[in-house]
Amino acid sequence: MVANNFLNIVANLKQANKVLVLGHIMPDGDDISSVLSLTLGLKKLGKEVIPAIDWKIPSYLSEIDEVSLIKSFEEIDIKNFAPDIIAIVDASSPDRVGRFSQYLNDYNVLVIDHHATNTLFGNINWVDPTFGATAQMILRINRELEVEYDERLALINLLGIETDTGFFRYSNADERVFKDAAALISLGAKPDVIARMILENKRLEQFKLLSRMIEKLKIESEGLLAYSYLSKEDYEELNCTDEDSGGFVSEIRSIKGVEVAIFFYEYTEGEVHISFRSKEWFDVSKVALLIGGGGHPRAAGASVKGKIEDIVDEVVKLTISEIKNQKP
Ligand code: AMP
Ligand code: MN
Ligand code: MN
């Protein structure tokens, strides 16, 4: 079934002349990597391809020049472009493509994703949660299409594998991840360039923001749960944006004995994103799904509207009871 869908997706892409490639809102490294790797691959085959994301691209990813190819929602005139296919990568449900979701009924939609919570919203869905990164799935599509890799494409493709596996540290960093990374390194990708760009590129203000987050840190469930939050005022006061708190949830998870980490942040007045992470046994995607989000067993998220303090209270209560349910 999954393999069939893979070949079906490849066949559809092969036939298409014009493709709109969409990533998800609040894009991360895997998303940008997958959007650009598919775009560059298809362009090499002579197709007309437009990549688009309905969200601001994080500035640390703008260091990759090819990111400037990615259009915003406002820049897309879909009727005029008239794509044969809309290919959606790394997105588990239609709302994840933002305002582009209004067009999905009118086009042939291919979904390529690794989230177990995927709602299979495309006309053809290749969804395989055994992949650590969607970027690995794009690598396979490009190979099947016989795309020739250059150093740039190899680097961009490796980016998603590095970021979604926490630079090869998470439980999704399996043998296939290392093999795919090794293949891309052979093709000229430099893993240290990506690591430096993302991990060693911090502004001093980010450390002040981290300090604020640590001040507000709380521990529950006998040390199994740790959480913290930042409000819009916190960001403004410290001359930061929500971009500056990328990675904070991993810092929380790194505390000894903590199984579940939650980081809440108010990215827009009255709108809060919740990032969940776990270490070994707690399935965070279950909690995320309950509040309208999704994700993976060890990394999930959701965005909700309301007062941040109320959201923190409610979600912490929900998580504490879910920890009791799931505790081995
Ligand atoms: P984040 O905490 O935002 O880094 O997201 C962790 C994981 O959860 C990623 O795989 C996201 O794609 C997924 N995720 C985050 N937010 C949502 C959402 N609102 N709906 C579905 N999946 C989400
Ligand atoms: Mn993603
Ligand atoms: Mn991903």
Side-chain angles (χ1 to χ4, degrees):
M1 176 66 178
V2 164
N4 272 344
N5 285 2
F6 164 67
L7 291 175
N8 206 349
I9 280 192
V10 170
N12 272 263
L13 288 171
K14 206 177 245 174
Q15 275 181 3
N17 295 315
K18 291 195 270 180
V19 183
L20 178 65
V21 178
L22 297 181
H24 64 72
I25 56 173
M26 299 184 163
D28 50 17
D30 186 31
D31 191 47
I32 302 286
S33 166
S34 299
V35 165
L36 285 179
S37 300
L38 185 59
T39 298
L40 296 175
L42 294 174
K43 273 178 180 275
K44 278 174 185 277
L45 300 175
K47 298 177 192 301
E48 207 182 320
V49 192
I50 300 182
I53 293 178
D54 186 16
W55 204 271
K56 186 185 175 298
I57 311 290
S59 55
Y60 65 90
L61 292 172
S62 314
E63 284 195 15
I64 293 177
D65 292 342
E66 290 83 348
V67 160
S68 63
L69 296 170
I70 302 175
K71 306 280 184 216
S72 66
F73 179 78
E74 285 79 11
E75 287 171 305
I76 299 288
D77 181 350
I78 196 160
K79 286 231 166 75
N80 187 35
F81 180 47
D84 305 311
I85 279 175
I86 297 183
I88 300 178
V89 299
D90 201 42
S92 53
S93 51
D95 56 296
R96 295 287 285 161
V97 297
R99 287 170 289 175
F100 286 111
S101 63
Q102 64 191 277
Y103 302 137
L104 303 186
N105 285 334
D106 304 332
Y107 294 89
N108 184 21
V109 174
L110 312 183
V111 169
I112 303 147
D113 183 34
H114 69 136
H115 290 92
T117 56
N118 195 291
T119 61
L120 309 178
F121 59 103
N123 299 96
I124 310 171
N125 304 284
W126 181 35
V127 175
D128 188 345
T130 68
F131 282 104
T134 299
Q136 293 177 273
M137 303 172 76
I138 305 300
L139 172 64
R140 281 161 179 75
I141 289 173
N142 279 345
R143 275 184 185 149
E144 191 68 25
L145 288 168
E146 296 179 13
V147 167
E148 253 186 61
Y149 270 68
D150 56 28
E151 279 180 21
R152 286 306 296 175
L153 178 51
L155 178 100
I156 287 166
N157 205 156
L158 182 61
L159 165 72
I161 302 177
E162 286 201 51
T163 53
D164 256 25
T165 62
F167 297 85
F168 309 108
R169 284 179 301 131
Y170 302 156
S171 55
N172 60 1
D174 57 12
E175 187 183 352
R176 191 169 50 178
V177 158
F178 282 94
K179 283 187 169 155
D180 288 350
L184 291 165
I185 291 165
S186 304
L187 292 164
K190 301 260 188 301
D192 60 306
V193 169
I194 299 167
R196 268 199 307 280
M197 180 180 77
I198 292 173
L199 301 174
E200 300 178 349
N201 216 351
K202 295 193 177 108
R203 303 188 306 130
L204 206 54
E205 285 88 344
Q206 285 181 272
F207 288 88
K208 297 194 172 132
L209 193 69
L210 179 66
S211 160
R212 173 72 55 93
M213 184 283 279
I214 293 168
E215 276 167 33
K216 293 174 148 192
L217 189 79
K218 292 205 174 69
I219 307 280
E220 290 282 353
S221 298
E222 285 138 9
L224 290 172
L225 169 66
Y227 66 93
S228 187
Y229 69 95
L230 291 171
S231 65
K232 191 89 187 123
E233 291 94 78
D234 288 318
Y235 287 105
E236 280 166 4
E237 204 183 306
L238 298 170
N239 194 20
C240 287
T241 69
D242 59 280
E243 226 176 72
D244 295 308
S245 52
F248 281 14
V249 70
S250 313
E251 294 296 333
I252 301 175
R253 175 170 60 179
S254 73
I255 300 167
K256 187 174 179 177
V258 163
E259 170 62 23
V260 191
I262 318 176
F263 175 58
F264 302 79
Y265 63 94
E266 195 179 15
Y267 59 96
T268 303
E269 185 96 41
E271 293 186 36
V272 176
H273 186 77
I274 309 159
S275 285
F276 299 92
R277 299 290 185 273
S278 65
K279 269 195 193 123
E280 283 182 76
W281 49 265
F282 189 80
D283 184 349
V284 284
S285 71
K286 286 195 178 154
V287 185
L289 271 177
L290 287 174
I291 54 171
H296 310 284
R298 303 284 164 266
S303 295
V304 290
K305 290 192 172 124
K307 228 177 120 216
I308 188 156
E309 287 82 4
D310 298 343
I311 294 167
V312 171
D313 270 2
E314 217 168 290
V315 173
V316 166
K317 275 194 199 121
L318 193 64
T319 309
I320 291 172
S321 79
E322 191 58 33
I323 287 176
K324 285 186 190 137
N325 286 340
Q326 290 191 29
K327 207 169 169 180

